[in-house]
Amino acid sequence: MTAYDTDNIFAKILRGEIPSFTVYEDDETYCFMDIMPRSDGHCLVIPKTPCRNILDATPAQLAACMATVSKVANAAKVAFNADGITLQQFSEAAGGQEVFHLHFHIHPRHDGLPLRPAGVMGDMEVIKGHAAAIAAALT
Ligand code: 5GP
C-alpha cells in the first residue's frame, strides 16, 4: 500500500495551512465542510492522526471517527430537517478516493432529491452558514 502523504489537502487543513469551515472537533477527530458540496450540509469527518483510508486505519481511528459521524449526522438531520443521511467512504483511487487522508462524507438527504454532481465549487458564504447550522444543532 502507498505510504501516507503528509502533504495531502486534509493534512494541510489539520495543520491550519489551508482554511476550513469547522463543524465539530474533539481530541481525535475533526469535522469540516466539503467545499464542493454534493448536498446542502455535506461535511467530512477525519481522524486527527494520519492514515490513508479504511484499508490502513486502526480500530481506534475508526471508532473515534464513527462516534463523531454519529454526533454530526444527527445534528445535520436536525439542522436541515432532513429525511435521512447518506454516509460515504472511498478507499484508493479505484474506490473513488481523491484525497488520501481517511474521511467520511455525511450528506443530509431529502426524499426524492438526488446528490448533486461532484467537483462543483460551492458558495463559501452559504457553506459557512451551513457549518454554523450543524454546529448549532450539536448537543
Ligand atoms: P474523496 O473522493 O477523496 O472521497 O473526496 C474528497 C472530497 O474532498 C471531495 O468531496 C472534495 O469536494 C473535497 N475537497 C477537495 N479539496 C478540498 C479542500 O481544499 N477543502 C475542503 N473542505 N474539501 C475539499
Side-chain angles (χ1 to χ4, degrees):
M1 187 166 174
T2 311
Y4 179 82
D5 173 12
T6 55
D7 278 334
N8 75 75
I9 294 166
F10 295 169
K12 289 180 179 176
I13 285 176
L14 281 172
R15 292 196 294 266
E17 295 166 10
I18 291 178
S20 58
F21 295 114
T22 301
V23 173
Y24 170 84
E25 73 179 305
D26 58 25
D27 288 347
E28 294 161 295
T29 64
Y30 183 56
C31 178
F32 59 104
M33 301 306 289
D34 196 306
I35 55 170
M36 292 175 256
R38 300 192 59 200
S39 59
D40 288 350
H42 180 181
C43 58
L44 303 167
V45 173
I46 65 175
K48 287 187 172 177
T49 50
C51 62
R52 275 173 75 83
N53 53 45
I54 200 83
L55 300 170
D56 64 340
T58 65
Q61 285 173 316
L62 294 172
C65 284
M66 280 304 111
T68 297
V69 164
S70 170
K71 278 192 188 96
V72 174
N74 280 289
K77 184 172 181 295
V78 169
F80 289 89
N81 195 25
D83 300 308
I85 295 288
T86 294
L87 180 64
Q88 292 178 309
Q89 198 288 313
F90 305 117
S91 288
E92 296 301 323
Q97 187 174 16
E98 293 180 352
V99 178
F100 295 95
H101 180 111
L102 174 67
H103 54 280
F104 296 87
H105 299 254
I106 296 174
H107 298 282
R109 301 298 301 275
H110 296 89
D111 288 335
L113 196 62
L115 291 178
R116 298 190 288 266
V120 181
M121 197 60 77
D123 179 313
M124 293 304 142
E125 281 307 306
V126 171
I127 292 172
K128 185 179 177 183
H130 288 171
I134 302 171
L138 280 164
T139 51

